[in-house]
Amino acid sequence: MALVDVLFVTRNIRPCSTRASGGPSGRSGHRMVACKRQLIIFGGFHESARDYIYYNDVYAFNLDSFTWSKLAPSGIGPAPRSGCQMATTPEGSIVIYGGYSKQRVKKDVDKGTLHTDMFLLKTEGSGKEEDKWVWSRLNPSGVKPTPRSGFSVAIGPNNRSLLFGGVHDEEEEESIEGDFFNDIYFYDTGKNRWFPGQLKVPKSEKRKRRRGRQAETDGGDDEVEKQAPQGPVEIVKEVVAEDGTVMTIKQVISGPADEKERSESEEEEEDGALGPQVEPCPRSNAMLAVKHGVLYVYGGMFEVGDRQFTLSDLYSIDLHKMEEWKVLVEIDPKTQEWLEESESEEEEDDVEGAEGGEEEESSEEDSEDEGGEEQHPSVQPDEKHADYLSRTEQYWIKVARSNMGPDAKEKKVVKVAHAMAKTFYEDSI
């Protein structure tokens, strides 16, 4: 049964509810914004045991009369979708970007679509309820977000709508691999322009770097000549769960050889680029809030293979300065739990356990003993992480493989193995 009740809570007034006819059908994944004295709802989907349907209809709820009305905008509007970005402009128009939908291509086979188009919904008139609404397609300039779903949205300073995170699913024959994001994109409604939110180096840090470069130029020419040229360096930060599964953040830092070739103007432009520092791990479906120009990001979800990892961390960043992320609540991998596996997998586990009997239990206990920290290859005195990893890599791959199972992809296993080795190394020094 579709829910059409509307509940309001106002200051110094007891909550009141009303039943209003003519509203949208029951759905999820829709979006809603407040536009003048109306709530505007767009899109969404409804899924039953046998079928599903995506919507591109528009409804308005009047906050004065508490009544629904279905809008019929002219022009060509967005295709049916859910999970889009919906924001209002200072002029009272509505911008809609992206979203996700799927359609059945043959029996029991669905094909998903990540939408990257953008539309404007505006009124022709004084903005009253009876005014005519019109769809028009937007072609924004700037650097647009890469295709994704599950992103989070909020309204930032200067009437800029922001987009954070999300996931791009790559469908293979029998599986889906998700590429998760932790980036920020801003959309300037006034200029109809996208641009990425890049972290900047504080002015005090810029001065330190310039003084450091000057000192190296004055006194370290001989040493620089002796150094072998280095290419870009990929820095990987991981969070490892108890079962060995890892969440990864990658950053590529240009090496000295690259920096040597830059002009002075390019150096000035890239003074704003930061090296590795604290930031939220890639995720989808996080919750955002903006208060006094500060963006708060809480929770979300991350996938590794066929497992979903729910997050409970809290970060903030000053959108005016864009200098650094701050950790307000840090994630503790030991307290996180994987979402339950499917019933079929649990049944298979039960069958395997029944067939294995006591011998299987004893073998599991032995493997747990072998996997204890006491049995891991120890770190030698003054041994660097790279040397330790090179010496023990095959051992950690074997441990990761035993944790992840025989069906895990080799690339994932190696990634987890390196993360486990790094964690053990850092705990040992």
Side-chain angles (χ1 to χ4, degrees):
M1 179 178 177
L3 298 178
V4 293
D5 291 353
V6 182
L7 177 67
F8 295 91
V9 180
T10 56
R11 187 177 298 177
N12 299 325
I13 300 177
R14 285 187 294 178
C16 60
S17 65
T18 181
R19 286 187 176 274
S21 61
S25 58
R27 62 189 65 190
S28 64
H30 51 287
R31 293 294 182 259
M32 180 174 74
V33 294
C35 187
K36 298 183 178 177
R37 294 297 299 169
Q38 298 180 99
L39 301 177
I40 307 296
I41 291 179
F42 167 80
F45 75 102
H46 174 76
E47 188 167 10
S48 64
R50 294 183 178 181
D51 205 357
Y52 55 83
I53 181 172
Y54 282 80
Y55 301 101
N56 64 343
D57 48 7
V58 186
Y59 285 84
F61 187 82
N62 189 292
L63 294 174
D64 296 318
S65 62
F66 285 11
T67 56
W68 284 108
S69 60
K70 184 176 181 179
L71 305 183
S74 60
I76 300 176
R81 65 191 64 192
S82 69
C84 63
Q85 181 181 21
M86 193 174 181
T88 56
T89 68
E91 296 75 28
S93 300
I94 297 171
V95 174
I96 289 177
Y97 167 76
Y100 174 84
S101 65
K102 64 180 179 179
Q103 60 181 354
R104 188 146 293 162
V105 293
K106 57 183 178 179
K107 186 178 180 181
D108 298 330
V109 178
D110 298 322
K111 181 180 180 182
T113 300
L114 287 175
H115 300 279
T116 58
D117 46 7
M118 201 165 192
F119 293 84
L120 182 70
L121 180 62
K122 64 178 181 179
T123 58
E124 290 185 346
S126 58
K128 297 180 181 179
E129 185 178 354
E130 61 272 12
D131 287 338
K132 183 180 178 182
W133 291 80
V134 180
W135 281 116
S136 60
R137 185 157 184 161
L138 294 174
N139 293 302
S141 61
V143 181
K144 304 173 185 177
T146 55
R148 64 189 69 189
S149 62
F151 52 79
S152 307
V153 298
I155 301 298
N158 303 319
N159 296 313
R160 290 172 174 172
S161 177
L162 68 88
L163 177 155
F164 170 81
V167 58
H168 179 264
D169 289 327
E170 296 181 3
E171 299 183 14
E172 299 182 0
E173 290 184 2
E174 297 182 355
S175 64
I176 296 178
E177 287 290 329
D179 187 11
F180 287 76
F181 303 97
N182 64 343
D183 47 3
I184 297 177
Y185 282 86
F186 292 95
Y187 174 70
D188 191 318
T189 57
K191 298 179 179 178
N192 188 28
R193 176 175 173 268
W194 282 104
F195 61 95
Q198 298 177 337
L199 297 188
K200 303 173 184 177
V201 176
K203 292 182 179 180
S204 58
E205 185 66 23
K206 284 185 183 180
R207 288 193 291 268
K208 289 180 181 178
R209 289 189 179 186
R210 287 172 183 154
R211 285 197 295 266
R213 285 200 295 264
Q214 184 64 37
E216 289 176 2
T217 303
D218 294 342
D221 290 343
D222 295 337
E223 294 182 6
V224 171
E225 289 179 1
K226 294 178 183 179
Q227 292 178 358
Q230 299 177 8
V233 178
E234 185 180 83
I235 296 178
V236 181
K237 294 182 282 185
E238 299 98 351
V239 176
V240 184
E242 282 188 318
D243 68 349
T245 310
V246 64
M247 295 179 296
T248 306
I249 303 170
K250 290 185 179 180
Q251 285 183 309
V252 178
I253 309 301
S254 57
D258 297 328
E259 292 181 358
K260 214 169 186 179
E261 296 174 359
R262 293 178 187 158
S263 65
E264 291 183 4
S265 60
E266 288 175 328
E267 274 192 359
E268 287 294 326
E269 289 178 2
E270 298 204 5
D271 266 339
L274 282 177
Q277 64 165 209
V278 173
E279 60 184 351
C281 72
R283 65 192 67 197
S284 67
N285 299 309
M287 288 292 103
L288 308 184
V290 177
K291 181 72 172 178
H292 299 313
V294 177
L295 170 67
Y296 297 90
V297 177
Y298 174 77
M301 184 270 288
F302 183 85
E303 289 180 353
V304 176
D306 59 353
R307 288 178 161 185
Q308 295 182 344
F309 192 78
T310 54
L311 304 169
S312 60
D313 48 358
L314 179 62
Y315 286 79
S316 70
I317 185 170
D318 190 324
L319 297 175
H320 293 292
K321 298 179 179 179
M322 289 296 293
E323 291 180 351
E324 62 176 347
W325 284 98
K326 294 182 180 180
V327 185
L328 305 183
V329 178
E330 192 169 7
I331 188 172
D332 182 1
K334 295 181 180 179
T335 64
Q336 302 301 304
E337 294 183 359
W338 294 103
L339 300 185
E340 293 182 1
E341 298 177 351
S342 65
E343 293 181 1
S344 61
E345 292 173 334
E346 291 175 354
E347 290 172 2
E348 289 175 4
D349 293 341
D350 293 340
V351 172
E352 291 173 2
E355 292 175 351
E358 294 181 357
E359 292 182 3
E360 184 173 323
E361 291 180 3
S362 62
S363 65
E364 286 181 359
E365 292 175 0
D366 293 340
S367 64
E368 287 178 3
D369 292 338
E370 291 175 2
E373 278 194 10
E374 299 79 15
Q375 303 299 322
H376 294 328
S378 59
V379 179
Q380 297 177 359
D382 300 326
E383 186 174 25
K384 295 182 179 179
H385 172 255
D387 297 332
Y388 176 78
L389 179 61
S390 176
R391 179 170 61 86
T392 63
E393 183 178 29
Q394 292 305 313
Y395 167 82
W396 289 107
I397 289 176
K398 183 178 179 181
V399 173
R401 174 67 69 182
S402 66
N403 283 332
M404 301 175 68
D407 296 331
K409 292 187 177 181
E410 186 64 26
K411 185 169 68 172
K412 292 280 187 181
V413 173
V414 172
K415 185 183 293 186
V416 170
H418 287 185
M420 296 175 71
K422 181 180 179 182
T423 301
F424 179 77
Y425 175 86
E426 292 177 347
D427 290 343
S428 301
I429 58 177

